[in-house]
Every structure is written in structure tokens, then in C-alpha cells.
Amino acid sequence: MDPPIHHPLGKRPAAEDDSVISDCESGVSGGDTAAGFVPADENADLVRTRFVRGLAAHGLKPEVLAVGRNACSSVMAQARQHSFHVFARAVAKLRDGNANVKFAWYGASSKEEISDIVQNGFFGHAHGNGLRLFPQDSPLESVKSSVVDKDGLRHLLLCRVILGKTELVPRDSNQCRSSSEEFDSGVDDLSNPKEYVIWCNQINTHVLPEYVLSFRFPSPLKGHVKIGEPLRPSSPWMAFPALISVLSKILPPPDIAYIAKFHKDYREKRISRYELIQKVRVIAGDKLLFSVIKSFRAKKIPASFKANKGNEWQAESQQLERLQHQWT
């Protein structure tokens, strides 16, 4: 069993378990880190080792270029950190002294997204029924959800997460909040969870980004595991208003509002076209975008997506993967 990652600066908060990293401070580890992060402390090697080991089990050999640590340098970042500890103590009181704090990975679309999360929290980055993160010893799914940036790198956030008492929430579930006051969060498997679900009303109080890990795969990937690559459709150009119009029939209104806002920011030259595309990919997902682009040629919306409003993804996964292969 791996040793826990301890607080290097002293006693951990009583509400947190042995796997908890320390409060936000600066440290030392090489490489360029995202804005809001500083070179990592003595825990960097342990974070790196666990990540590499988790992917090695799937035959993947990532090259880790940098591990950064959340500096919590702004007043609001410090406030979110304090809020996290307050809620950890509160959940511990409700759950017989155990807040069930764990580490979990989040796959980011870019350094810009990470910087936005550090500055403003996860609000706006959770879509559907909540924020989905993956256990520290299972980084593969977070790698799949990450996006290769213009420098050829991927970025993951390692977060502390207050799980409290968990309930079963299948991946295709439409549930968007705890089923009762007895539960605090969701998991895909009660005995061996591979996915955590933090409800939208808790994402800025129950999730605290601690580390950012930047990496790449140095050689072409081989084997049975497929890692998603940047969206490069060879389809005809699709005007953004047309894309928003189609997505509005599929995605919930809050997601469409965010997409419209990002498009407005792009038109006013507040963000680049690359940043706009990455943000839309995070919200809509590559599978849906591939399907919409494909269907645009036929001038129709995918029947299954229209009927289910984009909620029943699993039944379409194999079909959409084949579609993705055709368009990359």
C-alpha cells in the first residue's frame, strides 16, 4: 500500500483523513506550471509516482514535465480554502467524525481552464448532473477527459474532495442532487468507486484544487487503450450560431448560456478562437460535437440525442466512437 501524502507543515485538520495533503503553500519542483500554481513541494515526487504508476497498469508511459502546487495567493482562493476546511469539519460532525476526504483527478482542457478554476472555483466547469472526478489511483479516465493543448501537453488537477457519506449514482443516471439528507456525494460503485460525483451546489465548497500535473505521451500510443486527441474534424465549416442552435436542443439551458457567453467573449476579442473551442469541448464533449458536425451535413439532429436531451450517453458510445474515427 502506498504511504499517505502528509501535511509537511504540521498537524492536519481533524476532519480530514490520512490521505490529505497540506494547506496551500509554495514548494519546489521543476517545470512550468499553470497560473495560480507554484513549483510543488516535497510531495511532488509522490504525486508524480502515483500518477505514472496508475497509467503503467494500462501500458501507458507518460512523461511528466511539471508538478505545481496551488499557491492560494488571492484573497478569494484563501477564502475557498478556508471554506473547504469549514465544510470538512461540518460534514465530519454529521458523519460520526469522518468527512471522508479523498484525492481525485480532474482532466482539464488547458492551462487557461486551470487558471480560471483557481481564480473562480469549479462553477461553470461542472456539466450535466455534477462535477465528476476520478480517484487518485485511477487517473486513466481523467487523462481521457483532458485535452492536448497547443504545446502538446495535457494537464490534470489533483484535488481534495469531501465525499462524506456516498450513495450509488450510475454513470447514465439523471440524478442531480443527493437523494436524501443522509448522503453527501455519489459514486459509481460503493465497494470500489472509480468515479466521484460532487453535486453542483457543493463544487466550490467540497472540492479544493491542490496540484496541477502537466504531462505528455512521448511516443505514439499503442495497445487497447485509446486516449482522445484534439478535435480535428475534416467536416465542412459550421457557423458558431448554427452550432449553438443545434446544441440548445440537446444541452441544458445553463450550458448553452455558458457557450453563448464564451462566443461573445471571442467576438469581443477577450479570448482566442482556440480558447473558445476548448471551452465548448469541455461543456459539450467531443462525442456530441462529432455527432452534431456529422449530422449537420445531413441537416438533422441525431434522433437519440434529441429524444434523450443528451443524457443517455452510454447507449451511443460505440456508435459515436466509430463516428469519431471517421472524422479524425
Side-chain angles (χ1 to χ4, degrees), residues 37 101 108 113 158 204 230-231 242:
F37 285 76
V101 177
E113 184 191 8
L158 183 60
N204 275 355
L231 185 62

Side-chain angles (χ1 to χ4, degrees), residues 45 78 195 200 203 260:
D45 286 342
Q78 293 169 11
E195 184 176 76
C200 289
I203 55 177

Side-chain angles (χ1 to χ4, degrees), residues 18-291:
D18 286 339
S19 67
V20 173
I21 294 178
S22 69
D23 296 342
C24 303
E25 297 289 344
S26 62
V28 179
S29 179
D32 294 329
T33 56
F37 285 76
V38 295
D41 56 21
E42 62 268 27
N43 289 316
D45 286 342
L46 187 52
V47 172
R48 182 186 293 106
T49 298
R50 290 188 177 180
F51 170 73
V52 172
R53 185 182 299 171
L55 291 186
H58 301 278
L60 299 173
K61 297 181 180 180
E63 178 185 355
V64 178
L65 279 74
V67 179
R69 193 155 188 261
N70 191 350
C72 290
S73 55
S74 71
V75 172
M76 293 307 298
Q78 293 169 11
R80 281 191 292 273
Q81 179 197 5
H82 177 72
S83 176
F84 180 88
H85 291 303
V86 169
F87 275 88
R89 289 191 290 269
V91 173
K93 288 182 180 180
L94 288 174
R95 308 303 175 205
D96 299 323
N98 182 16
N100 194 18
V101 177
K102 301 292 185 183
F103 274 115
W105 294 105
Y106 173 82
S109 64
S110 64
K111 283 187 177 181
E112 289 76 17
E113 184 191 8
I114 290 174
S115 297
D116 184 65
I117 290 172
V118 171
Q119 294 172 14
N120 304 304
F122 275 98
F123 185 76
H125 298 271
H127 309 287
N129 60 352
L131 182 68
R132 293 179 179 268
L133 304 104
F134 306 94
Q136 184 185 5
D137 60 355
S138 301
L140 179 60
E141 291 303 319
S142 61
V143 171
K144 289 181 178 180
S145 64
S146 67
V147 177
V148 179
D149 68 12
K150 58 182 179 293
D151 298 317
L153 303 180
R154 296 175 186 266
H155 309 280
L156 303 184
L157 281 173
L158 183 60
C159 307
R160 273 189 287 175
V161 183
I162 303 170
L163 294 179
K165 187 174 182 181
T166 59
E167 63 178 313
L168 182 64
V169 180
R171 292 192 176 186
D172 58 352
S173 170
N174 295 328
Q175 183 176 339
C176 60
R177 61 180 62 86
S178 296
S179 61
S180 74
E181 294 184 356
E182 181 183 358
F183 301 107
D184 303 294
S185 64
V187 293
D188 62 335
D189 188 306
L190 291 174
S191 59
N192 185 30
K194 296 299 182 184
E195 184 176 76
Y196 303 141
V197 181
I198 305 300
W199 307 118
C200 289
N201 63 340
Q202 297 174 333
I203 55 177
N204 275 355
T205 57
H206 286 50
V207 184
L208 180 67
E210 285 276 3
Y211 286 83
V212 60
L213 185 144
S214 300
F215 68 100
R216 65 188 176 195
F217 293 104
S219 59
L221 299 175
K222 299 179 180 180
H224 65 280
V225 176
K226 180 173 178 60
I227 305 296
E229 294 298 332
L231 185 62
R232 289 189 289 266
S234 56
S235 62
W237 177 74
M238 184 177 185
F240 225 90
L243 176 63
I244 294 176
S245 177
V246 174
L247 291 177
S248 67
K249 299 177 175 65
I250 302 169
L251 296 175
D255 286 355
I256 298 302
Y258 276 112
I259 292 176
K261 175 186 177 298
F262 295 141
H263 184 227
K264 182 174 182 290
D265 290 343
Y266 165 69
R267 296 187 64 181
E268 295 176 353
K269 298 183 178 180
R270 295 177 182 173
I271 62 175
S272 67
R273 181 174 178 80
Y274 175 82
E275 291 174 311
L276 169 64
I277 292 172
Q278 300 310 310
K279 289 178 182 296
V280 174
R281 291 182 64 192
V282 170
I283 295 173
D286 285 355
K287 291 180 179 180
L288 176 56
L289 289 175
F290 275 116
S291 183

